[in-house]
Amino acid sequence: MLSALEKFAPLPLQESWDNAGLQLGLTEAEVSGALLCLDVNEAVVDEAIRKGCNLVVSHHPLLFRGLKQISGADYVQRTVIKALKNDVVVVSMHTNMDNALDGVNWKIAERLGLGECRFFAQKAVDGIEAGSGVVGELPQPMAAQDFVQLVKRQFQVECAQCNELLQRPVQRVAICGGAGDFLLPDALREGADAFITGEMHYHQYFGYEKRIQICVIGHYQSEQYTAEIFRDIIQRDCPGVRTEIAETVTNPIHYY
């Protein structure tokens, strides 16, 4: 099953600073069930155990920076201990899934009903087509305020952080899930009317008034449907494996 995920989003597509792939455990074990999620923490491992899943597939890696001890001092160490004690394998598909064809950004585009989608900020890795962002077209132009409301509905967000509302219709939309503010200049070069991402630095909002509609919806919110990609890959290529999308909400940010 790991090979099916890596065929879809090959590990060479990940960024140099990333740590995608096998995180914990032995891959020779027969899979009793796969729990699919955005983040891995103790509650997610508990859910996997409760549901009889000995595999967790996450988007964000559990092991991102090296561990110098495993003593239970923080949630990462405690999650490692719990997973190993209960023979739960953890696999993460991170920036390789962000950069892959039909990956995270394509899922966002699908949720918005965009057509004519293509990569921007393209790259080729080992001859594989990839890109940091996706740009596509709304079926019909729409007012900027209506576009923001569409995004909020489709991603179930309480609020969106935007610059001044654009005073012209929005149709071409550029997307980068997660922390994507580095792609804002590329989105402009693509002629995008709007740019959607998960998080953006304060100073990045300046200077884009009347040029592009910025819509920032939260890191978790932008990538929340990534588990559906994992599910579809596994159900197609490993039809005998039971899949469960995690019910545990791991978003650490709350809005009051």
Side-chain angles (χ1 to χ4, degrees):
M1 199 191 70
L2 181 57
S3 62
L5 291 166
E6 292 184 1
K7 181 181 178 182
F8 184 94
L11 292 181
L13 295 186
Q14 70 180 305
E15 303 295 337
S16 59
W17 44 262
D18 200 7
N19 187 39
L22 179 65
Q23 304 279 294
L24 295 173
L26 303 175
T27 57
E28 292 82 7
E30 183 176 346
V31 179
S32 61
L35 186 71
L36 316 174
C37 59
L38 192 64
D39 311 287
V40 188
N41 59 17
E42 294 168 272
V44 169
V45 175
D46 282 335
E47 183 179 346
I49 296 166
R50 189 169 65 251
K51 292 182 173 178
C53 297
N54 64 350
L55 172 65
V56 171
V57 181
S58 71
H59 182 45
H60 296 140
L62 173 63
L63 301 177
F64 197 73
R65 297 173 181 84
L67 292 178
K68 295 188 177 180
Q69 63 175 3
I70 304 177
S71 63
D74 58 37
Y75 90 90
V76 173
Q77 294 179 41
R78 291 191 296 272
T79 303
V80 168
I81 292 169
K82 179 165 285 190
L84 290 175
K85 277 186 174 180
N86 290 277
D87 296 321
V88 174
V89 175
V90 178
V91 170
S92 300
M93 299 280 113
H94 191 211
T95 53
N96 54 320
M97 188 61 72
D98 290 330
N99 291 328
L101 181 66
D102 293 328
V104 175
N105 295 317
W106 299 79
K107 174 60 71 171
I108 296 171
E110 177 189 303
R111 296 287 304 183
L112 292 171
L114 301 187
E116 302 177 41
C117 294
R118 55 184 169 81
F119 283 122
F120 73 103
Q122 269 183 290
K123 57 187 84 175
V125 181
D126 297 338
I128 303 167
E129 181 186 10
S132 299
V134 165
V135 62
E137 309 282 333
L138 289 164
Q140 299 292 334
M142 59 195 313
Q145 185 168 6
D146 295 336
F147 170 73
V148 172
Q149 293 303 316
L150 169 69
V151 174
K152 288 173 63 178
R153 282 196 308 274
Q154 291 302 104
F155 291 87
Q156 304 174 57
V157 297
E158 297 91 340
C159 62
Q161 292 181 301
C162 303
N163 60 344
E164 178 184 334
L165 286 174
L166 207 62
Q167 297 303 308
R168 58 179 170 80
V170 169
Q171 184 161 26
R172 180 169 296 173
V173 181
I175 294 165
C176 182
D181 58 7
F182 68 100
L183 281 184
L184 185 52
D186 296 273
L188 271 173
R189 283 192 286 272
E190 293 292 329
D193 302 307
F195 177 65
I196 299 174
T197 190
E199 57 180 288
M200 205 165 92
H201 290 88
Y202 172 78
H203 292 285
Q204 287 289 93
Y205 288 85
F206 286 98
Y208 292 96
E209 299 82 4
K210 300 180 176 60
R211 300 177 69 194
I212 191 168
Q213 184 64 62
I214 297 169
C215 189
V216 179
I217 60 175
H219 197 125
Y220 178 94
Q221 289 87 342
S222 71
E223 298 181 328
Q224 64 184 297
Y225 301 111
T226 303
E228 295 179 2
I229 306 173
F230 301 150
R231 178 198 61 198
D232 293 345
I233 296 167
I234 295 168
Q235 288 183 350
R236 182 191 66 212
D237 296 345
C238 310
V241 174
R242 176 171 59 91
T243 58
E244 301 268 359
I245 291 180
E247 298 173 83
T248 303
V249 176
T250 55
N251 187 6
I253 300 171
H254 298 266
Y255 298 86
Y256 297 106

